[in-house]
Amino acid sequence: MAAVQGGLVDAVEKKDIKTEPSEDSGGNNNANDGRLLSPPPGSSASAPGGNKPPAGAPEDQQTLLAVLQFLRKNNLAESVEILRREAGLPEDALDLKAGDSAGAEDASSLLSRVTVSSSAAAQAPTKAVEDQPDVNVVLSAYSQQGDPALYGVYYSGLKRFIESVLDCHRAELSQVFYPLFVHMYLELVYNNHENEAKVFFEKFSGDQECYYEDDLRVLSSLTKKEHMRGNETLLDFRTSKFVLRISRDSYQLLKRHLQERQNNQIWNIIQEHLYIDIFDGMPRSKSQIDAMSGSLAGEAKREANKAKVYYGLLKEPEIELPLDDEDEEAENEEGKPKKKKPKKDSMGSKSKKQDPNAPSQTRIPLPELKDSDKLDKIMYMKEATKRIRLGPDNLPSICFYSFLNAYQGLTAVDFTDDSSLIAGGFADSTVRVWSVTPKKLRKVKSAADLNLIDKESDDVLERIMDEKTASESKILYGHSGPVYGISFSPDRNYLLTCSEDGTIRLWSLQTFTCLVGYKGHNYPVWDTQFSPHGYYFISGGHDRVARLWATDHYQPLRMFSGHLADITSTRFHPNSNYVVTGSSDRTIRLWDVLTGNCVRIFTGHKGPIHALAFSPNGKFLASGATDGRVLLWDIGHGLMIGELKGHTDTIYSLKFSRDGEILASGSMDNTVRLWDATKAFDDLETDDFTAATGHIHLQDNSQELLLGTYMSKSTPVIHLHFTRRNLLLAAGAYNP
């Protein structure tokens, strides 16, 4: 299995390097490829396929020759011929004579410049933190000089035009304000027009949407060219094209206006830094646009959410459920339903039919079930027969675990699936594990003592435990910084923790010692989680790259790169074939574990995302952020389908009940809220999803879906967990 995974990793990494630049260079009906936005009269840019001057300026001609030479060197004769004809060059233009060394030198230096800048632009987002890229290359886009006094005039002119258009177009075209404002300001700063930049910022920063406040605060601190060097935020703005989704009619209006005014400054920024995703149909309303905007790089391109996602559940292994002694004793009438019930409700028989939306069982290698896993499955199935059916008229009981006197600073909590253990990560770098049941925590005996045990006895698993070490809690030492993420393995044998020290540690719950330290992240790791099937785990942190690991590999199997800021939350899909990551760039990305590709990008949150939860059937995703909103997403169609408003502070934990009828959310506002998930998902009209525009109108029905609000005295809720019988457990540290 290791060999298979290793091979896959190499293939994916090579593939990623090849495909990264293509994302930046357009390829849709968008503003960057020059096909739709023809340059305004009087501008010097020449659109491909427009008037064909015979490569007028010597500089243009040299660049063309450099590109043609590169194509010829790589035996792309057909492309050479097409480009030569397109540019109107004579046939012998490429036959540089030996004596013409200056020309050859020029061509090669130009070529190196072209390749350097494109590769830097492609790699900057991922390398930005690990080793600063050549910032001069990144900033060179701002070197074009325009009259600094006219920047405000241009922006005001466009603003007046957009405010004068019909209401239906105004909301869509207003999206252009923010990216234009940012790039015009940075251009002024880069060209040392500090006073003009300051005036421009003060005059127009108040016009921007409230959800860009944090970004504008960072931007306002960049007042000199020196400040721009090595600034992460700037690299984000520069290297990722801001995506705007605009209807064709609104887009034509903007194009016509810019062409008539010969507004080159704004024109160049749109060409260079914006990706306009055009759709046919009615323009979107202000509320529809607001619902989807707010991320660092605009909305997701529609094509980013078109890939097929196998969101169905894997077929459960068939395990016979043995009858309890209680069931045999119960000879009365109630005995019959008891015997039938396991067959009806048990997970084994529920998933016997293969879900058409499920991946194949062998799509990714999964660990085989051990005997202990089968016993655990049987226990789970027995518990499932006694599970409470939840609903609006039957809400769960909530048991709150308050950590008192947690002066070490509680930073992360997790429960085992069977709710028998609870673990906490603390800011003093310790990890503590408690037993929630009367059964105490014991270590395995020493090797010398184990040799004396009769290995054939029935109770060998009991005999290997050392009664002298029994206690209600254990403390694990090893990290050298605050512990930010914690996760139990499904079989309860291991515990994962991640820390500010950049490592992820795997601890044994038999010996309460650290087995492995996984080193791959160079910066703090904010979250980690085990796969529902064990063996694999995911981590994400400040370096903006999520990593997929296997417990028996020192190196990550996959690296998921694409976020523009810290990855703050990570979760596995119930079928283990996908992972989801939430980030400070206010986007959520779904990644395919097999290929390493990003198959969904969700935008809509107005702050960093701290909570993610998949519905038990794998079809839906819930997300919570610092904006206090819970957003619901349909994974198959790649669309936002609901918004739950009510919390007044960061949402730190989300959890669906075992059958998915209730969604619980826990927040820093010291409340747990319960939402009617069944109603939220059943009210959807699937016809809405087939609309070519790719957006639907969200109902503002939070109050109808809110089933209850439960306040703690003064305890922020940082973790939620439904037991196998649907009792809700919550945890947090009391804040006196």
Side-chain angles (χ1 to χ4, degrees), residues 181-206:
F181 169 80
V182 170
H183 289 297
M184 289 174 96
Y185 174 74
L186 290 174
E187 223 166 78
L188 285 169
V189 172
Y190 183 78
N191 292 312
N192 293 315
H193 305 303
E194 289 174 28
N195 292 333
E196 287 88 344
K198 189 180 177 190
V199 170
F200 183 79
F201 190 90
E202 285 171 1
K203 188 173 179 185
F204 299 113
S205 61

Side-chain angles (χ1 to χ4, degrees), residues 20-54:
E20 186 76 11
S22 69
E23 198 177 276
D24 222 39
S25 58
N28 188 7
N29 48 354
N30 96 46
N32 324 322
D33 58 285
R35 281 174 294 177
L36 283 165
L37 269 173
S38 49
S43 85
S44 59
S46 61
N51 307 337
K52 293 182 233 169

Side-chain angles (χ1 to χ4, degrees), residues 103-353:
E105 216 174 280
D106 254 347
S108 63
S109 68
L110 266 164
L111 179 60
S112 69
R113 216 162 61 215
V114 170
T115 50
V116 164
S117 64
S118 68
S119 66
Q123 290 169 6
T126 50
K127 283 170 62 187
V129 182
E130 285 164 28
D131 53 334
Q132 289 296 341
D134 182 356
V135 181
N136 290 328
V137 172
V138 171
L139 297 179
S140 61
Y142 295 127
S143 59
Q144 51 193 14
Q145 282 279 13
D147 183 348
L150 290 177
Y151 277 60
V153 177
Y154 288 146
Y155 192 87
S156 300
L158 183 67
K159 192 175 163 206
R160 276 197 304 277
F161 162 70
I162 289 176
E163 284 169 356
S164 70
V165 299
L166 291 171
D167 289 357
C168 61
H169 300 298
R170 191 183 308 146
E172 285 202 320
L173 292 180
S174 297
Q175 297 176 83
V176 177
F177 287 146
Y178 175 67
L180 274 181
F181 169 80
V182 170
H183 289 297
M184 289 174 96
Y185 174 74
L186 290 174
E187 223 166 78
L188 285 169
V189 172
Y190 183 78
N191 292 312
N192 293 315
H193 305 303
E194 289 174 28
N195 292 333
E196 287 88 344
K198 189 180 177 190
V199 170
F200 183 79
F201 190 90
E202 285 171 1
K203 188 173 179 185
F204 299 113
S205 61
D207 299 342
Q208 309 308 323
E209 296 285 359
C210 58
Y211 37 79
Y212 293 122
E213 261 176 31
D214 291 343
D215 297 341
L216 291 174
R217 203 172 299 123
V218 173
L219 204 61
S220 65
S221 64
L222 300 171
T223 53
K224 288 183 164 55
K225 188 174 177 177
E226 298 77 62
H227 298 167
M228 298 171 79
R229 299 184 183 280
N231 184 292
E232 289 176 23
T233 309
L234 170 71
L235 290 167
D236 293 338
F237 282 131
R238 169 63 195 93
T239 55
S240 58
K241 296 205 167 172
F242 197 92
V243 180
L244 303 176
R245 201 180 289 176
I246 294 180
S247 67
R248 194 171 294 281
D249 294 346
S250 304
Y251 172 69
Q252 295 292 355
L253 270 175
L254 178 67
K255 185 172 84 165
R256 206 173 305 125
H257 170 75
L258 292 175
Q259 286 178 335
E260 285 167 5
R261 296 293 166 98
Q262 297 189 15
N263 201 335
N264 294 355
Q265 212 65 40
I266 287 181
W267 180 264
N268 292 336
I269 288 173
I270 287 178
Q271 289 269 41
E272 183 83 24
H273 301 291
L274 271 58
Y275 179 107
I276 297 184
D277 190 357
I278 297 165
F279 64 86
D280 294 302
M282 289 287 291
R284 293 185 297 170
S285 67
K286 177 88 171 80
S287 63
Q288 284 175 322
I289 291 166
D290 281 348
M292 302 303 290
S293 49
S295 93
L296 208 55
E299 293 188 45
K301 300 172 189 173
R302 278 176 304 151
E303 65 196 36
N305 292 340
K306 292 275 171 70
K308 166 86 173 151
V309 172
Y310 299 100
Y311 56 79
L313 302 183
L314 294 174
K315 196 169 163 226
E316 288 283 342
E318 291 185 23
I319 299 169
E320 283 300 313
L321 184 57
L323 285 174
D324 263 357
D325 296 341
E326 295 171 25
D327 290 341
E328 286 168 10
E329 284 168 22
E331 294 287 317
N332 58 14
E333 289 174 10
E334 282 176 48
K336 289 175 186 173
K338 271 188 184 170
K339 287 180 184 175
K340 284 181 184 171
K341 215 173 177 185
K343 282 190 179 175
K344 192 175 155 191
D345 276 10
S346 72
M347 293 300 291
S349 49
K350 192 163 78 175
S351 308
K352 269 184 186 167
K353 283 185 185 166

Side-chain angles (χ1 to χ4, degrees), residues 596-638:
N597 294 337
C598 177
V599 290
R600 291 286 180 271
I601 303 175
F602 297 132
T603 64
H605 276 295
K606 313 297 186 260
I609 290 135
H610 285 285
L612 293 164
F614 283 102
S615 62
N617 62 11
K619 284 184 186 177
F620 305 106
L621 174 71
S623 59
T626 56
D627 58 13
R629 294 149 71 235
V630 177
L631 298 183
L632 305 174
W633 310 89
D634 180 289
I635 294 165
H637 295 98

